[in-house]
Amino acid sequence: MTNRVGREYHPSVLPRDTGIDPPRRYAGAKTRIAARCGPAIVAEALPDDAADEVAWLREAIDRLATAGASGALFVFIRQPPDPRLADVLRAVTIARRLQPNVVATPAALASRAHVELLERAGVRAMYLALHGATPAAHDAGTGEPGSGKLERSELLLWDGGAGDPDAPRVPASAALRALDVAVTTAQKLGVRIQTVGFERLRTAAAPNGTEPCTASPAMIELLREAIPLPSAGGGLLATRDAAIAIADAAPTGPDLVQLACELAGGGRPFVDLPPCLGGPPPGDGARPPSGAGAKVEACRRCPIDETCAGVPPPLLAMPGLREAIAPPPHWMPIPDRARIAVVCPR
């Protein structure tokens, strides 16, 4: 788990007079990189016999790009960055195909100068490896008081990849339960979360929850990746009190319908949505009649209007949502029409 401390910064010129001397390199201080190539995370680690760490990094990034990598590029460092490393990351930023993110030990970013060097190189985010579940435990693990308290925090959950020699490979079922607890706890605490590399959990099994849970952006992303989070086994909630919990993942009505149908197909429906928006099917016992939902004019001609609980009122503020609330054509009865048979004798 890591803690984000960086911000976006795109310079025009990378200064050379940083005052940072190239750090000493140790045998155990391996640099690693990882990025998504198609449906999986591909990782590489610095070989023991590499003569030039920065040259290897440049070549490894080129290999990932050739393999079709896109999106976030994670660079793991254990020693302070120097201008040569920053040059490589700035070239990645300029190319725009990959977005460099640095995951570092506290010692690697112990100086503000090191953080600023990476910011000027265009690094999108910097994460610090945590050494405990609380700030006090982290400080004790690093020996640096106050290092566990950081503003603008974002939790990065990393499962590693098949090519990552340092990735912890706990059993899939245990990893699935741990991931589920981390995602739901971060949501309750209001901590932003990003997950990387949990594809192996698609076939993992764990007891499902029985109560609906509020969907978060991280949870939705994992469910879309076919990660069977146990807490979502009781269904999902699109709203939380007066807030639209899924606004980031589904900003408009059509987006919401598409997302709801997609997740319902995987057995994780939004139980607070009506069937016309992708909620549980008509007659599902999970949606008893109640007066808490809102309805629109189109609901009057719906054949299940009397048993439908309606839409959570906060969702009506979503662009295009009112137009999406309507019974599908195949729900409507076929009107009786007179039929005339014309018979022509031979």
Side-chain angles (χ1 to χ4, degrees):
M1 294 185 294
T2 56
N3 210 351
R4 177 177 177 175
V5 298
R7 65 177 187 273
E8 292 187 359
Y9 190 91
H10 300 285
S12 57
V13 178
L14 180 65
R16 299 286 180 173
D17 53 344
T18 60
I20 301 176
D21 296 326
R24 292 176 58 193
R25 300 293 172 180
Y26 302 93
K30 278 191 176 182
T31 298
R32 294 177 291 140
I33 64 170
R36 179 175 294 278
C37 293
I41 294 292
V42 176
E44 285 197 41
L46 178 70
D48 294 333
D49 58 353
D52 188 326
E53 181 177 356
V54 174
W56 168 85
L57 177 62
R58 183 181 293 106
E59 294 171 359
I61 293 174
D62 288 343
R63 285 193 293 272
L64 285 178
T66 302
S70 61
L73 168 70
F74 293 94
V75 181
F76 296 78
I77 61 174
R78 298 181 181 177
Q79 294 295 318
D82 58 26
R84 291 186 66 214
L85 173 66
D87 276 346
V88 175
L89 298 181
R90 183 172 184 270
V92 174
T93 301
I94 293 174
R96 294 181 179 273
R97 180 169 183 175
L98 291 168
Q99 303 163 346
N101 295 255
V102 170
V103 183
T105 62
L109 297 180
S111 166
R112 180 63 192 173
H114 297 132
V115 175
E116 292 176 348
L117 178 66
L118 294 178
E119 288 178 340
R120 288 192 291 265
V123 171
R124 188 181 69 169
M126 285 166 255
Y127 297 87
L128 289 184
L130 295 180
H131 290 262
T134 65
H138 175 84
D139 294 349
T142 62
E144 301 175 8
S147 63
K149 294 183 178 180
L150 297 169
E151 296 181 355
R152 295 175 296 161
S153 296
E154 178 178 271
L155 190 64
L156 173 66
L157 299 181
W158 174 264
D159 189 49
D164 186 351
D166 296 330
R169 308 302 285 180
V170 299
S173 59
L176 179 61
R177 292 193 297 270
L179 173 64
D180 190 54
V181 170
V183 170
T184 54
T185 302
Q187 180 187 40
K188 293 176 182 177
L189 298 176
V191 176
R192 293 179 57 187
I193 190 170
Q194 181 172 342
T195 58
V196 179
F198 288 91
E199 293 82 6
R200 69 187 179 100
L201 304 187
R202 289 171 178 161
T203 57
N208 281 329
T210 57
E211 297 295 325
C213 66
T214 304
S216 66
M219 181 179 292
I220 290 174
E221 181 180 354
L222 287 168
L223 292 175
R224 279 183 148 172
E225 292 289 334
I227 309 299
L229 294 176
S231 62
L236 301 169
L237 297 174
T239 58
R240 181 177 59 250
D241 298 327
I244 303 176
I246 57 171
D248 291 339
T252 68
D255 293 332
L256 174 60
V257 174
Q258 178 178 344
L259 174 64
C261 293
E262 179 181 343
L263 297 185
R268 302 294 193 269
F270 284 103
V271 297
D272 57 345
L273 294 183
C276 63
L277 296 183
D284 194 307
R287 292 189 55 80
S290 70
K295 297 187 177 183
V296 299
E297 182 64 27
C299 296
R300 295 190 177 188
R301 66 175 188 271
C302 180
I304 63 168
D305 181 40
E306 293 183 1
T307 58
C308 179
V311 181
L315 288 179
L316 293 179
M318 179 180 289
L321 194 280
R322 289 179 177 271
E323 293 76 10
I325 304 173
H330 62 274
W331 287 9
M332 306 306 293
I334 299 175
D336 292 331
R337 294 186 175 91
R339 298 182 180 182
I340 300 175
V342 179
V343 180
C344 297
R346 292 182 179 180

